[in-house]
């Protein structure tokens, strides 16, 4: 995994949405997945963060699955 901008990852999960809409939806999914929220907190994720570290990116994919699945 690599560091990735939140809007790029969101576009991978929601390719037919605008960047803004995709980011909003991805953030909503993170909020609804409490175990993912806890894992991201352990990895020093903070609200409004625009770039995910490789470990944060890995956690999102682990809990939400690969984009496009």
């Amino acid at each position: 995994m690599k560091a990735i901008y939140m809007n790029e990852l969101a576009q991978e999960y929601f390719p037919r949405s605008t960047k803004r809409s995709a980011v909003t939806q991805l953030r909503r999914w993170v909020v609804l997945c409490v175990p993912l929220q806890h894992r991201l907190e352990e990895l020093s994720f903070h609200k409004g963060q625009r770039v995910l570290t490789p470990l944060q990116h890995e956690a999102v994919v682990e809990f939400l699955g690969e984009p496009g699945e």
Side-chain angles (χ1 to χ4, degrees):
M1 293 282 157
K2 61 178 180 140
I4 188 170
Y5 283 95
M6 185 70 124
N7 63 5
E8 291 174 3
L9 183 59
Q11 283 288 164
E12 290 180 19
Y13 279 101
F14 307 99
R16 294 183 179 176
S17 298
T18 64
K19 282 186 180 181
R20 186 175 189 169
S21 178
V23 169
T24 299
Q25 186 63 32
L26 181 57
R27 290 187 190 280
R28 188 174 298 134
W29 278 19
V30 170
V31 167
L32 292 173
C33 184
V34 176
L36 174 55
Q37 275 186 313
H38 294 307
R39 181 71 179 123
L40 289 174
E41 288 171 6
E42 291 171 0
L43 297 171
S44 301
F45 180 82
H46 59 274
K47 185 178 177 182
Q49 185 172 324
R50 293 182 180 179
V51 179
L52 297 173
T53 67
L55 290 176
Q56 291 168 344
H57 180 192
E58 186 178 300
V60 171
V61 171
E62 177 184 334
F63 284 90
L64 300 181
E66 287 286 337
E69 284 186 348

